[in-house]
Amino acid sequence: MALASDKQTNEANELMLSLPKEMGLNAGPYLHLFQDFWCPSFYFQGVINFQKHFHAKDSDVFLATFPKSGTTWLKALTFLIVNHQRFSSFENQPLLSSNPHELVSSPEFILSHDLHDQILSLSNMSEPRLFSTHLPFSALPKTMTESKCKIIYICRNPFDTFVSAWEFSTKIKSVSSSPAFTFEEAFEKYCNGITGFGPWWNHMLGYWNESITKPDKVLSLKYEELKEDTVFHVKRIVEFLDSPITQEGEGTTAIENIINLCRFEKMKDLGVNKSGYIHNIAEKKNFFRKGKIGDWKNYFSPSMIEKLSTIIEEKLSGSGLSFKVHS
Ligand code: A3P
């Protein structure tokens, strides 16, 4: 088994080295252009293993996101919805003692090491299994697209997503000794689609188009809409997942409790989210920065606004996907 896995690692490394590469946002790790998306080197082996060895179950729920679009929030909300009947009271909710990223993990990360053991432990997870992924729709394993598993996607206006990613990248433990990019250099990369799991427009459009043609398979949400009318959009998640919450007499109260527990201020204030690291790289507290719509206005110059607006217009035009960014 060890030899087989060494061979697979070598094959993945060889493949990775043969691909076009660019420096990532925090000046590392490298991004490799693989299957039309920029895959961080850190994830490469895990992505290959996810595509080759993961077996989706019809009851699986996947949260798909482009980084910094609201993954943490969506994980918290969906974890509570999916596990609604498992925890008798809100006082013993795991969300009070674990960060959402510790409760919902990504196969592309888990499967990057100890493949055999990890596959076994994934297959033994209680159902419904809840996972997350940053992979674009086109790179998902076939087993996911062919099974009846459900996918919830969240995207966010590209202005705020970029600022959130930029701020996050300045705080992440550097995995490279080379100097980090300036805000302007990082913006150029973002405009060229060169960020982890990007281009962001392909990422958004892949899931968006799928949510139009297969609304029972993919539910598409926007961070801004979730913020502006949380009750309405959490109800959409509940209905999409056929959760029994709605059939229960106390459905509305349960939904309100879930929303309250996942409020930005509440989560940011939890002891468990104030210290410690996720994957030994990102500090938990940095997943809760401002949680606001429109912070980009404090960062962008007029020429940057014009440039990104034009790219959004060009890339998303005709798709039906749009963002209110100037209100
Ligand atoms: P800002 O950097 O703009 O504050 P991700 O979870 O995909 O990494 O996205 C991080 C963004 O979501 C950050 O945005 C973070 O503050 C925000 N966020 C985290 N938890 C949230 C919550 N419970 N409600 C709303 N926004 C949240």
Side-chain angles (χ1 to χ4, degrees):
M1 184 55 69
L3 276 179
S5 107
D6 284 351
K7 189 167 168 254
Q8 283 165 358
T9 307
N10 288 339
E11 279 171 8
N13 278 338
E14 267 178 41
L15 172 59
M16 191 171 86
L17 292 174
S18 72
L19 298 169
K21 71 174 180 184
E22 288 275 348
M23 201 70 103
L25 195 57
N26 63 331
Y30 278 109
L31 304 172
H32 301 268
L33 190 58
F34 175 60
Q35 299 177 349
D36 292 330
F37 77 97
W38 288 100
C39 182
S41 49
F42 188 63
Y43 282 95
F44 197 79
Q45 178 73 61
V47 168
I48 302 238
N49 288 341
F50 182 23
Q51 292 181 337
K52 274 194 184 160
H53 301 286
F54 180 82
H55 294 287
K57 299 184 180 184
D58 287 344
S59 59
D60 287 346
V61 177
F62 267 86
L63 308 177
T65 66
F66 190 72
K68 311 321 291 175
S69 299
T71 319
T72 316
W73 191 18
L74 184 62
K75 282 186 179 186
L77 288 167
T78 316
F79 179 86
L80 292 181
I81 294 169
V82 166
N83 293 295
H84 170 62
Q85 288 173 321
R86 272 180 66 199
F87 305 102
S88 50
S89 71
F90 269 79
E91 286 72 52
N92 62 11
Q93 272 298 343
L95 203 60
L96 298 175
S97 50
S98 303
N99 176 277
H101 295 285
E102 294 166 320
L103 296 172
V104 185
S105 34
S106 315
E108 68 258 28
F109 181 77
I110 315 173
L111 299 178
S112 58
H113 53 92
D114 303 331
L115 181 59
H116 180 70
D117 294 348
Q118 298 293 359
I119 288 284
L120 197 65
S121 74
L122 290 187
S123 65
N124 288 334
M125 274 173 75
S126 60
E127 295 181 35
R129 303 184 302 178
L130 179 60
F131 296 114
S132 68
T133 183
H134 284 321
L135 286 195
F137 188 84
S138 56
L140 293 179
K142 278 217 162 37
T143 172
M144 269 181 74
T145 44
E146 287 168 0
S147 81
K148 290 197 178 113
C149 78
K150 298 211 171 201
I151 302 171
I152 304 174
Y153 184 68
I154 191 161
C155 57
R156 186 179 191 186
N157 82 70
F159 285 79
D160 280 330
T161 307
F162 172 69
V163 169
S164 185
W166 160 255
E167 285 292 351
F168 190 74
S169 77
T170 61
K171 295 174 192 94
I172 209 158
K173 260 194 206 169
S174 185
V175 281
S176 154
S177 53
S178 42
F181 296 114
T182 63
F183 183 76
E184 288 71 20
E185 287 164 344
F187 179 71
E188 281 308 306
K189 286 200 166 266
Y190 186 72
C191 289
N192 290 322
I194 307 172
T195 57
F197 304 98
W200 46 266
W201 51 86
N202 285 352
H203 204 281
M204 288 177 180
L205 288 173
Y207 286 97
W208 170 257
N209 291 336
E210 214 56 34
S211 77
I212 305 286
T213 53
K214 295 196 187 108
D216 294 338
K217 174 87 182 167
V218 180
L219 174 71
S220 184
L221 303 167
K222 288 183 199 159
Y223 180 91
E224 292 75 22
E225 292 180 352
L226 188 58
K227 260 206 100 85
E228 281 166 358
D229 193 347
T230 315
V231 173
F232 177 78
H233 292 284
V234 168
K235 281 187 177 159
R236 285 181 69 209
I237 300 177
V238 165
E239 280 160 24
F240 176 71
L241 295 178
D242 294 323
S243 160
I245 296 180
T246 39
Q247 282 130 44
E248 293 169 14
E250 86 290 12
T252 307
T253 316
I255 287 174
E256 278 167 9
N257 287 340
I258 287 172
I259 291 171
N260 278 334
L261 197 52
C262 299
R263 272 187 310 111
F264 177 78
E265 295 77 14
K266 165 92 186 167
M267 294 196 68
K268 189 181 167 91
D269 241 30
L270 286 175
V272 65
N273 294 325
K274 284 189 167 164
S275 63
Y277 281 82
I278 296 294
H279 304 327
N280 207 22
I281 297 179
E283 274 191 275
K284 291 180 192 172
K285 66 175 185 199
N286 293 331
F287 286 93
F288 308 90
R289 193 181 64 93
K290 290 192 178 170
K292 292 208 157 68
I293 302 171
D295 190 35
W296 62 270
K297 289 173 190 165
N298 299 315
Y299 291 75
F300 276 63
S301 67
S303 67
M304 285 172 150
I305 298 174
E306 196 186 330
K307 180 161 180 168
L308 190 51
S309 302
T310 307
I311 294 172
I312 295 172
E313 175 63 30
E314 274 171 20
K315 300 293 182 188
L316 303 188
S317 92
S319 69
L321 177 64
S322 61
F323 297 92
K324 284 187 286 179
V325 284
H326 293 292
S327 58

